[in-house]
Amino acid sequence: SQQGEEDPQALSIQEGENATMNCSYKTSINNLQWYRQNSGRGLVHLILIRSNEREKHSGRLRVTLDTSKKSSSLLITASRAADTASYFCATDPRPYNAGNNRKLIWGLGTSLAVNP
Amino acid sequence: EAGVAQSPRYKIIEKRQSVAFWCNPISGHATLYWYQQILGQGPKLLIQFQNNGVVDDSQLPKDRFSAERLKGVDSTLKIQPAKLEDSAVYLCASRRSGYNEQFFGPGTRLTVL
């Protein structure tokens, strides 16, 4: 099955710095979602950006989407130690998904370490 | 609202044994997913239910894996017999109809020795 690809695979930064992760995908999409996974809270949805949107903000998160390049980026500003986690992009591909058949295609993730 | 519940949280078995996982989705969520996540990888969809019907099981190894959602609420995933390569975290997620966000349970970490 097709998968998104995140880069970098691993990122280590100091608290207060910004973290940027990228995601590339292969098919046309309805939307792209970012999720965070850490040992304490499992997989949690962060933000969704639709194919007709170019940028979206949620708190310290900023997501961009370039459908011509089939890529997205997630920016976390003013990072905190609690942001240490793996971040996954997941695409809702078109035209495969319709109606109730909404299957996400997942990337391999970026492992982010925020050092105090 | 209560989140997605899964049990057990951890399971250690020997190869060729059987194991079952249980999931209780968020109330009112018609869609339920089972994923397998191997260490260092993203989740891999095993099966998707819409109420009690299977929507997608194309990546489910049907010779050893089975899943059911008889009343359209709780679901069980079974592996029989287990292989070493089945060692992974098994995640259950649910989604409300008309919405895109999936809500995940804490997962079951399976170790096959």
Side-chain angles (χ1 to χ4, degrees):
Chain A
S1 61
Q2 295 175 313
Q3 281 190 320
E5 296 180 3
E6 290 96 331
D7 80 271
Q9 289 189 332
L11 183 60
S12 181
I13 60 174
Q14 296 300 120
E15 216 166 17
E17 293 181 339
N18 296 340
T20 300
M21 295 159 244
N22 303 297
C23 169
S24 61
Y25 57 92
K26 298 176 182 176
T27 68
S28 296
I29 60 172
N30 295 309
N31 63 72
L32 184 146
Q33 303 175 37
W34 285 91
Y35 286 77
R36 179 181 64 209
Q37 185 175 39
N38 59 31
S39 57
R41 293 195 59 196
L43 257 170
V44 175
H45 182 269
L46 294 177
I47 194 167
L48 178 152
I49 188 164
R50 301 186 188 284
S51 62
N52 62 352
E53 298 176 311
R54 292 297 167 257
E55 186 171 315
K56 203 161 184 181
H57 296 254
S58 177
R60 293 183 296 112
L61 305 180
R62 172 178 168 254
V63 170
T64 61
L65 180 65
D66 186 336
T67 52
S68 66
K69 295 181 179 178
K70 292 188 169 58
S71 68
S72 173
S73 68
L74 171 67
L75 168 67
I76 304 174
T77 60
S79 65
R80 306 166 181 168
D83 295 328
T84 295
S86 292
Y87 291 81
F88 294 91
C89 72
T91 54
D92 180 344
R94 188 193 322 153
Y96 306 110
N97 280 352
N100 292 321
N101 186 9
R102 307 211 76 82
K103 177 172 69 177
L104 293 178
I105 308 299
W106 295 79
L108 297 177
T110 292
S111 178
L112 173 65
V114 181
N115 304 304
Chain B
E1 64 185 352
V4 176
Q6 288 189 248
S7 68
R9 292 293 309 276
Y10 305 91
K11 190 74 177 179
I12 301 174
I13 61 173
E14 305 218 334
K15 61 183 179 182
R16 292 188 288 273
Q17 287 188 323
S18 302
V19 65
F21 313 125
W22 173 82
C23 173
N24 187 352
I26 293 173
S27 178
H29 284 198
T31 307
L32 184 148
Y33 306 85
W34 281 103
Y35 289 93
Q36 179 193 61
Q37 186 177 24
I38 292 172
L39 187 65
Q41 299 183 17
K44 170 189 168 185
L45 179 67
L46 293 175
I47 189 166
Q48 176 185 345
F49 290 96
Q50 179 69 19
N51 295 309
N52 61 349
V54 175
V55 175
D56 187 335
D57 64 357
S58 57
Q59 297 193 90
L60 186 73
K62 299 180 185 63
D63 58 334
R64 299 185 299 107
F65 286 64
S66 64
E68 60 183 14
R69 193 184 184 199
L70 292 175
K71 296 183 179 179
V73 181
D74 293 9
S75 176
T76 56
L77 175 70
K78 297 179 182 178
I79 307 175
Q80 179 179 11
K83 293 185 176 181
L84 297 177
E85 58 261 37
D86 298 332
S87 294
V89 176
Y90 290 84
L91 298 165
C92 179
S94 67
R95 181 179 63 82
R96 184 181 297 278
S97 294
Y99 293 82
N100 295 291
E101 178 181 355
Q102 294 186 19
F103 292 83
F104 284 81
T108 298
R109 183 177 298 277
L110 173 68
T111 301
V112 182
L113 303 176

